[in-house]
Amino acid sequence: MTDTTADEPIDWNRFWSEADCADRASATPSTHHVRGLLADFFTAKGVPDSFADVGCGPGVVTFHVAECYPEVTAIGYDAAASVLVENRQQAAREVENVCFESAVLPNFEPDRQFDLVLCFGTLAYVAASKCALRHLYDAVAPDGQLVVGYLNQRWQTHHQRLVDSPERHPNPEFEPERFEERFQLVLAGESTLSYRQIHDALGTWPRSFWEFTDKPAERWAWHHAPLVWIPK
């Protein structure tokens, strides 16, 4: 299995091998929110026996779930061999109920199903995002849940304006060329999703995560990058 797919605009294996602290933070900007939101989700829906974090990167959420809920079997999946090695070394030192495996979206065919499958911020880099959704949903056990964070057309429109007029960006260090390269699939509309597209792919409607938890302070961002759950 290779480290990236032909559709991905980033060589993630190289990225995680060379990333400094700033790069790592930029690649996982909302994981601190997701950790707290999952705690609310577990309170409302129950703590799952098994948890898969697909596109886990450095395993911020995977490790958090494993450490906070030692009764959960947590598995992180990623395409980058370099970050998997790093995560496995940390798991061997610190956490018993977590492991890390290789997976390259849009294909995802683990040898088991999970009570909860999370895919947050990863579909933006996968052109065949609807195909990936179907594979992810197939990996959910009966009565389980799929939780997905994705980018929509609002995000695409907003950030295309910033690429076209970088002087409008609030960060003076914004690099439009680098940003455009990284998010080329979303800016081209190839990996954006909507409630309707998720329904058409899975045959069931996604549900807003905000049914049972409060939105983080950056409310506008979640209109551009929705977080949804889809029951099995």
Side-chain angles (χ1 to χ4, degrees), residues 48-52 71-74 112-117 141:
D49 292 331
S50 54
F51 170 75
E71 70 274 28
V72 175
T73 298
R112 59 171 296 172
Q113 291 183 310
F114 298 88
D115 297 316
L116 178 61
V117 175

Side-chain angles (χ1 to χ4, degrees), residues 127-135 190 192-193 197-198 200-202:
S129 53
K130 289 184 282 296
C131 176
L133 274 175
R134 289 189 286 270
H135 280 282
E190 295 181 28
T192 57
L193 288 170
Q197 289 171 316
I198 294 173
D200 291 347
L202 303 182

Side-chain angles (χ1 to χ4, degrees), residues 136-183:
L136 293 165
Y137 198 57
D138 286 344
V140 176
D143 299 319
Q145 325 286 337
L146 171 61
V147 174
V148 177
Y150 63 93
L151 302 181
N152 61 20
Q153 289 183 342
R154 287 182 177 179
W155 190 102
Q156 175 193 9
T157 300
H158 174 74
H159 285 84
Q160 185 63 61
R161 289 172 181 157
L162 295 178
V163 169
D164 294 338
S165 303
E167 70 278 1
R168 300 172 58 182
H169 199 284
N171 184 353
E173 298 181 0
F174 176 65
E175 301 178 58
E177 294 82 6
R178 185 178 181 187
F179 184 90
E180 189 171 19
E181 179 183 11
R182 175 174 171 180
F183 291 105

Side-chain angles (χ1 to χ4, degrees), residues 1-14 54-55 78-81 102-108 122-129 131-132 135 182 184-185 190-191:
M1 182 175 291
T2 57
D3 294 327
T4 59
T5 71
D7 293 330
E8 290 182 345
I10 295 178
D11 181 344
W12 286 107
N13 189 54
R14 180 178 178 180
V54 185
D78 204 85
S102 177
V104 182
L105 293 175
N107 296 319
F108 181 57
T122 300
L123 293 177
Y125 306 103
V126 181
S129 53
C131 176
H135 280 282
R182 175 174 171 180
Q184 59 186 261
L185 294 176
E190 295 181 28
S191 64

Side-chain angles (χ1 to χ4, degrees), residues 34-36 38-39 42 47-48 51 60-74 94-98:
V34 175
R35 287 178 291 184
L38 282 179
F42 291 169
V47 178
F51 170 75
V60 175
V61 176
T62 325
F63 280 116
H64 176 79
V65 169
E67 292 167 355
C68 293
Y69 306 93
E71 70 274 28
V72 175
T73 298
E94 302 175 7
V95 191
E96 294 183 354
N97 58 316
V98 64

Side-chain angles (χ1 to χ4, degrees), residues 77-108:
Y77 293 89
D78 204 85
S82 57
V83 83
L84 291 174
V85 169
E86 179 182 307
N87 291 347
R88 287 166 181 161
Q89 291 172 344
Q90 181 179 345
R93 294 191 305 266
E94 302 175 7
V95 191
E96 294 183 354
N97 58 316
V98 64
C99 64
F100 293 89
E101 303 292 342
S102 177
V104 182
L105 293 175
N107 296 319
F108 181 57

Side-chain angles (χ1 to χ4, degrees), residues 17-34:
S17 297
E18 301 176 352
D20 58 18
C21 291
D23 289 333
R24 287 171 178 263
S26 73
T28 56
S30 299
T31 49
H32 57 292
H33 287 318
V34 175

Side-chain angles (χ1 to χ4, degrees), residues 200-216:
D200 291 347
L202 303 182
T204 187
W205 287 102
R207 300 172 65 173
S208 173
F209 218 79
W210 318 123
E211 289 183 13
F212 42 76
T213 186
D214 294 331
K215 286 184 180 181

